[in-house]
Amino acid sequence: MSKSSIVSPGNLNSMGGVGLGSFAHVGRRTISEVPSFRQNIYLAVEIGEVCQLKCKHCIYHNEDPLTARPNPQIDEWLDRTLEGGLDPIWVSFAGKEPSLFPQELILMATKTKRPDRVNILMSNGLKLMPPLIQQLAPLIDCFDISLDGDKAAHEWMRGENSFDRIWNRLGDILCNSDSLVGIISTAVHATLPDGRTQWQGIVRLAHQLRDEFPFAERLSLSISLYYGHPTDPLLLRPEDLTAILAELNTVDFPIRVLWTANYAHLLPTVLRQLNWDLSNLEYDADTGLPILRYGNLLLILFNLSPVQQQAFRIANDGSIYLGCNHLSLGEKANQYSLGTLETIDFADKTGDSRTASTALQAAPRTTCGSCADWLVCRGGDVQSGTYFRGRAQDPYCPLLNPEAA
């Protein structure tokens, strides 16, 4: 793996669209001063490529049944690499749906479990019955369960007859483990058959969680802002984001909003519309991630991180990627792989906070430095610019892409 920066100066977020879960641990302990530690490594590990659901907003395109089962080379790689020096602060088990392969999941979670590391399971929840939960409970620090709004909104997104089964799993997890439970709701720009916006279904879900689990301190809701191609109609608009924050801020329930790089260019507009600012910015004590707290709402502002945040995803085929944005590219993602399990030696490379692929070069600051919103946006989503436009600058920002405005 070559050494080169993929982030613009002042923007230490190399996590892309983020595919590490609910971030339910972030914000539980905070500090007011800028943290001084150098960098964090996060690892997302795919366990198979199968899922029971066909979701409207899924950016995962591999449908090849020949490569669907978990790759045993990943298990061997974990043994070799964790012993050799890779030290992620979080390990997130993803898939499509990792719980469809419980034995492989348990084996990998056992290898990565450590007192000062967070193990996360990202799941649709359908297979998490009490016997499996009890096996996973000592190994998983956070169960991240996807519910994309109330029943109507969720089933519009993920298919009929799924909401009630997943809802029941929440109680099972809380009763059979001491782990955190983070509900992940993906917000998209869309209108439901009943005339509501999809995000209004998420607001309704927040109320339902508050009413059903008023004393469950381990339970929280995280809003994942949809990621896709710059022309994707499901991408949220400024008015969506402003309304979501205003509505959720009225619900007495812990809610996180994951403000990823592809929406960084809209953050200044949304803050102005809400009459909010960054004056009360604080930092997560364990990760250094920036947090903006308004009432029950906690915004995680990845692009404002003063600490290098670097996430790697181990694909089921053995390819290694920076973040999860590549999932939207299908087979075209191969050219952006950092390498494979056989070719990358993390033990030699992760000490360099700028480790990344030469294909992902940083946008020069002169591109954005004169913009009045630079200090809030920090260059936006450089990585997606390389993927979608062939140039390392934010493809979502209308100032950089007038043709897309």
Side-chain angles (χ1 to χ4, degrees), residues 10 12 34-35 37-38 283 288-290 302-309:
L12 298 179
V34 175
F37 45 94
R38 186 181 179 198
Y283 301 92
L289 284 166
F302 296 95
N303 271 29
L304 295 183
S305 177
V307 176
Q308 179 77 26
Q309 309 287 351

Side-chain angles (χ1 to χ4, degrees), residues 59-64 67 317 319 321 326-337:
I59 63 173
Y60 203 126
H61 294 301
N62 186 12
E63 300 291 343
D64 184 356
T67 61
D317 68 0
S319 300
Y321 294 90
H326 65 281
L327 292 174
S328 65
L329 302 177
E331 293 182 358
K332 294 180 181 178
N334 293 337
Q335 64 183 300
Y336 298 106
S337 166

Side-chain angles (χ1 to χ4, degrees), residues 294-343:
Y294 276 91
N296 65 304
L297 272 185
L298 187 154
L299 278 64
I300 304 176
L301 307 178
F302 296 95
N303 271 29
L304 295 183
S305 177
V307 176
Q308 179 77 26
Q309 309 287 351
Q310 197 156 279
F312 298 98
R313 187 177 180 102
I314 313 303
N316 194 55
D317 68 0
S319 300
I320 300 178
Y321 294 90
L322 195 68
C324 299
N325 298 24
H326 65 281
L327 292 174
S328 65
L329 302 177
E331 293 182 358
K332 294 180 181 178
N334 293 337
Q335 64 183 300
Y336 298 106
S337 166
L338 303 179
T340 67
L341 301 178
E342 291 79 20
T343 63

